[in-house]
Amino acid sequence: MNHRQRLEACLSGNPVDRPPVSLWRHFPVDDQDPDSLARSVLFFQQTYDFDFVKITPASSFCVKDYGVRDEWRGNPEGTRDYTFRPVKLPDDWKTLKVLDPFDGSLGSQLECIRLIKQALSETTPVIQTIFNPLSQAKNLAGQETLLLHIRQHPEAVMTGLQTIMESTIRFIKECTRLGIDGIFFAIQHAQSSLLSPEEYDRFVTPFDMEILEQVSPLWLNVAHLHGKDLLLDRVRLNNIAVLNWHDQETAPSLFEAKLIFKGAVCGGLRQWETLVYSTPQKVKAEANKALEMTGGSRFILGTGCVLPIIAPHSNILAARNIVERKKS
């Protein structure tokens, strides 16, 4: 099977020649230029030949055109530190404008997608990272300010979220025209430590539902639920084919998730304890445990979040190679 055939079979629960596998990472410094990011993503894929390519720009790519500024300061996950956030006062949410997807940072990301798609075979699926509106709002204001505004100035936040959603939909439409196979939909506030179920229903659900409606033509949409103590019963997974979360750190287990989600689950490997600080032997043991738990069906071997940029090559290679000996 080629990558696309393997993933299509996996999603439908049909037999596969081997379980799919994919890891993704940030590319700091390179992620500030579309050509450099494209070349780094392609080199990573050429090195490990994963079953799908997730394009991981800096988290600021979708909010930079609102005035965000950030810097690379050596974070081992490859993320950048925010040095200026344009939303400070409640009324600042009302001043946000719908972004043109062809301008600035969004336009650069479209160029990156075009370069990657141009270089890869059609049998290698490509998905683009999309942060949901509330995650983008967090990057515009900071977590503390966002949660304060949600509770004290909810209508102002709702106005800002509507603008962010419209900008995101415009960008997704252009990504779709470039031939992406899906989005990696990053949801960061489905955590009971951050929002109540009622707050989630108000500030997340309606905006996410609008976006997920736009990706219905795409076949490889991945939902990533970031964090712990998930509000899983509140998360809408319309048009989502793959569910990814910190499965080694928080409920549900891979087995439990397969009982409540009809698509494929992606995970099994701990990003820090195993892929960074452990050995290839431990990587293989953890992967084998996940494969046994899921029966290798409707399962993609991966990690619960982004692969730290300091992960040893031998550990990444172990994750990639273990599936070759697990035919099903």
Side-chain angles (χ1 to χ4, degrees), residues 23-55:
L23 299 173
W24 48 89
R25 55 160 285 182
H26 283 285
F27 297 95
V29 180
D30 297 338
D31 58 19
Q32 299 304 289
D33 174 79
D35 182 67
S36 295
L37 179 56
R39 283 189 279 110
S40 293
V41 170
L42 291 168
F43 180 75
F44 189 64
Q45 176 62 13
Q46 289 160 4
T47 303
Y48 298 109
D49 192 32
F50 289 124
D51 285 300
F52 66 81
V53 172
K54 175 195 177 289
I55 305 176

Side-chain angles (χ1 to χ4, degrees), residues 5 8 12 29 31 54 66 75 83 95 111 119 122 126 148 162 173 185 205 225 257 273 275 282 289 295:
Q5 291 169 337
E8 288 177 335
S12 61
V29 180
D31 58 19
K54 175 195 177 289
Y66 291 121
N75 186 294
T83 58
T95 67
E111 174 63 9
E122 291 185 357
V126 174
L148 176 67
Q162 181 69 30
K173 286 181 177 178
F185 198 44
T205 299
L225 308 183
E273 292 89 340
L275 285 169
K282 178 63 176 177
K289 183 178 179 181

Side-chain angles (χ1 to χ4, degrees), residues 1-9 11 18 20-24 41-42 45 49-55 113 116-117 120-128 179-183 218-222 242 300:
M1 288 180 165
N2 61 41
H3 296 312
R4 179 170 183 135
Q5 291 169 337
R6 185 175 300 113
L7 283 164
E8 288 177 335
L11 297 182
R18 64 162 177 78
V21 56
S22 188
L23 299 173
W24 48 89
V41 170
L42 291 168
Q45 176 62 13
D49 192 32
F50 289 124
D51 285 300
F52 66 81
V53 172
K54 175 195 177 289
I55 305 176
I113 295 170
I116 290 170
K117 286 291 297 180
L120 288 174
S121 163
E122 291 185 357
T123 61
T124 300
V126 174
I127 64 176
Q128 165 64 35
I180 63 169
D181 297 275
I183 66 168
L218 305 177
W219 67 278
L220 191 57
N221 296 313
V222 179
V242 180
I300 301 170

Side-chain angles (χ1 to χ4, degrees), residues 286-306:
E286 199 161 86
N288 279 327
K289 183 178 179 181
L291 288 162
E292 291 168 6
M293 180 185 295
T294 60
S297 171
R298 291 193 291 121
F299 172 66
I300 301 170
L301 181 63
T303 187
C305 198
V306 66

Side-chain angles (χ1 to χ4, degrees), residues 53-64:
V53 172
K54 175 195 177 289
I55 305 176
T56 308
S59 64
S60 59
F61 90 93
C62 49
V63 291
K64 238 177 186 175

Side-chain angles (χ1 to χ4, degrees), residues 181-196:
D181 297 275
I183 66 168
F184 183 92
F185 198 44
I187 301 171
Q188 298 180 338
H189 291 83
Q191 303 180 63
S192 56
S193 61
L194 297 177
L195 297 179
S196 69

Side-chain angles (χ1 to χ4, degrees), residues 259-284:
L259 297 177
I260 59 178
F261 179 64
K262 294 181 180 179
V265 295
C266 177
L269 297 171
R270 293 178 296 174
Q271 65 184 123
W272 288 101
E273 292 89 340
T274 303
L275 285 169
V276 173
Y277 299 129
S278 197
T279 64
Q281 290 71 31
K282 178 63 176 177
V283 172
K284 293 174 184 177

